[in-house]
Amino acid sequence: MNSIATRMMLEKGVEIVGAVARSEAKVGRDLGEVAGLGRELGVVVSDDAAEVFRRTSPDVAVVAINSYLEDAIDQLRICAAEGVNVVTLSEEMLYPWETSPELAEELDLAAKRSGATLTGTGYQDTYWVNMIGLLMGTAHRIDSVSGRASWNVDDFGPELARDQQVGATEAEFQEWLENAQRPPTFGRNVLDALVADTGLTPTSIKTTTRPDIASSATFSQALQTEVPAGHVIGMTDVDEICTAEGPRFVFEMSGRVYSEGDGDINEWAIAGEPDVVLSNGTVPTQLTTCTQLVNRIPDVINAPAGLVTVDKLPRLRYRARPLHEYLA
Ligand SMILES: NC(=O)c1ccc[n+]([C@@H]2O[C@H](COP(=O)([O-])OP(=O)(O)OC[C@H]3O[C@@H](n4cnc5c(N)ncnc54)[C@H](OP(=O)(O)O)[C@@H]3O)[C@@H](O)[C@H]2O)c1
């Protein structure tokens, strides 16, 4: 994601002043080379984010390294402490107020103190939150909002594939599910954002998870390994939130290694007056993740300080011109 976003930012006139990574394979090399652009950018990849921030005073840090706030907190703390705005792909940062309230509060306060804005965006921003919120605005009465989505683990890197337990046996999966401190599902944060966007009051929240199993040996591009038949190729989470005001939200999301004939799904149905459906499964998730990460940059720089979730930002807009022309 970082490599694609690097190309897109350059094509939108962004001046990249620094780059941060951790592995020996990247640190010390030119960003253009690391991102596979085939040319040098004159930006050497560092492993010291705070030093880069102090030396370059960036307008924004674009962060795409992990999914859950517990993992992302150290990097976000550095950004907040140094007063650097953040757009991140961290799925939990889409709406962390319910799943990690203490960390969210800490980041919000630190960002307000330093004048930074921290926002989680990505594919969910439009396709699972803001578009559904708009659609809900066309209803007179809502009984339920039901979403069903699937995405290909192999569209992304090893970080996500490991999170989705790709390669595990069914027994290992069940053990992980029962014993591990389960991080929030991506669907949970989506529903939390939708409930907050409409000012509803949650009364019950339930998540169930089942493994997706390979029916024949399946090669995982992300992990560069073959998953034997009968092993896990991903999982399906079903999140459900009931609200005091009536609307019930359900979101079934499958993230697995696709086989021949599999394709993305993104279908939403609002039941009430009237019934409304939305289906746009052929949207390429990999690219629309990075386009939203990049197109959100002006909104995040323009936003007030603090942890600001995408339901609070202006509607996402196409950016035809260099991004700095959209700054307030
Ligand atoms: N919101 C969305 O729509 C959306 C969509 C796609 C992906 N994502 C999330 O975005 C993240 C990146 O996805 P990806 O597909 O690009 O994953 P990836 O290919 O596995 O890349 C992750 C990168 O982060 C680096 N990294 C991890 N921890 C780091 C740390 N502490 N400091 C510096 N660098 C670190 C890794 O570098 P080394 O391992 O080489 O050090 C690697 O280059 C994942 O968590 C994924 O879940 C979100």
Side-chain angles (χ1 to χ4, degrees):
M1 297 302 102
N2 286 301
S3 300
I4 298 172
T6 298
R7 171 182 68 78
M8 287 179 173
M9 284 191 284
L10 292 169
E11 289 169 359
K12 287 281 159 83
V14 173
E15 184 192 354
I16 298 181
V17 294
V20 180
R22 64 174 175 186
S23 62
E24 275 179 25
K26 294 169 187 164
V27 176
R29 291 170 63 204
D30 187 272
L31 172 64
E33 201 191 317
V34 172
L37 299 180
R39 67 186 168 103
E40 295 213 340
L41 299 177
V43 175
V44 177
V45 176
S46 161
D47 59 1
D48 186 344
E51 187 281 323
V52 171
F53 291 158
R54 283 172 204 163
R55 178 165 44 82
T56 63
S57 303
D59 294 313
V60 66
V62 177
V63 183
I65 56 180
N66 43 31
S67 299
Y68 306 106
L69 206 39
E70 204 170 276
D71 301 321
I73 189 71
D74 288 343
Q75 293 92 42
L76 295 176
R77 273 185 186 130
I78 295 173
C79 299
E82 298 294 327
V84 176
N85 298 310
V86 172
V87 273
T88 174
L89 287 186
S90 158
E91 284 88 346
E92 192 180 1
M93 275 292 284
L94 181 80
Y95 197 89
W97 293 106
E98 302 292 338
T99 50
S100 295
E102 283 162 21
L103 293 180
E105 185 79 17
E106 178 202 319
L107 285 175
D108 185 48
L109 285 175
K112 280 179 174 147
R113 264 198 304 270
S114 70
T117 306
L118 314 178
T119 299
T121 176
Y123 178 79
Q124 300 92 313
D125 183 338
T126 297
Y127 291 101
W128 291 348
V129 176
N130 280 313
M131 211 155 59
I132 314 311
L134 267 182
L135 204 64
M136 288 174 68
T138 70
H140 175 60
R141 188 197 76 249
I142 295 180
D143 301 324
S144 66
V145 177
S146 311
R148 202 164 70 91
S150 104
W151 47 272
N152 186 358
V153 163
D154 275 351
D155 277 346
F156 306 100
E159 185 82 21
L160 256 181
R162 283 190 288 267
D163 285 345
Q164 293 298 110
Q165 309 298 311
V166 172
T169 61
E170 270 200 76
E172 286 165 347
F173 185 92
Q174 288 307 339
E175 196 186 334
W176 166 80
L177 196 57
E178 281 157 29
N179 301 323
Q181 180 80 28
R182 182 82 207 276
T185 65
F186 303 163
R188 166 72 198 274
N189 297 114
V190 166
L191 293 189
D192 284 340
L194 280 173
V195 167
D197 184 46
T198 35
L200 297 171
T201 319
T203 51
S204 69
I205 298 167
K206 194 170 85 186
T207 299
T208 50
T209 300
R210 58 177 188 267
D212 292 313
I213 303 297
S215 53
S216 57
T218 307
F219 187 76
S220 166
Q221 200 70 34
L223 292 181
Q224 288 296 303
T225 181
E226 185 162 89
V227 180
H231 283 223
V232 172
I233 47 169
M235 65 175 106
T236 300
D237 295 305
V238 184
D239 288 281
E240 180 181 339
I241 299 187
C242 295
T243 63
E245 293 80 0
R248 176 175 153 263
F249 293 75
V250 184
F251 187 28
E252 176 175 319
M253 190 199 65
S254 165
R256 63 180 189 280
V257 181
Y258 281 0
S259 301
E260 191 92 358
D262 281 342
D264 287 354
I265 298 171
N266 187 33
E267 290 169 356
W268 289 81
I270 294 175
E273 182 185 351
D275 290 342
V276 187
V277 293
L278 180 82
S279 176
N280 56 359
T282 50
V283 173
T285 51
Q286 189 193 57
L287 284 178
T288 51
T289 292
C290 296
T291 52
Q292 293 180 80
L293 182 68
V294 172
N295 288 340
R296 273 299 187 198
I297 289 174
D299 293 334
V300 170
I301 296 176
N302 290 341
L307 195 166
V308 180
T309 51
V310 291
D311 51 301
K312 305 282 187 298
L313 290 180
R315 178 168 68 74
L316 190 67
R317 289 190 160 76
Y318 171 57
R319 311 292 185 183
R321 299 192 299 278
L323 293 191
H324 66 263
E325 293 190 23
Y326 297 92
L327 298 183

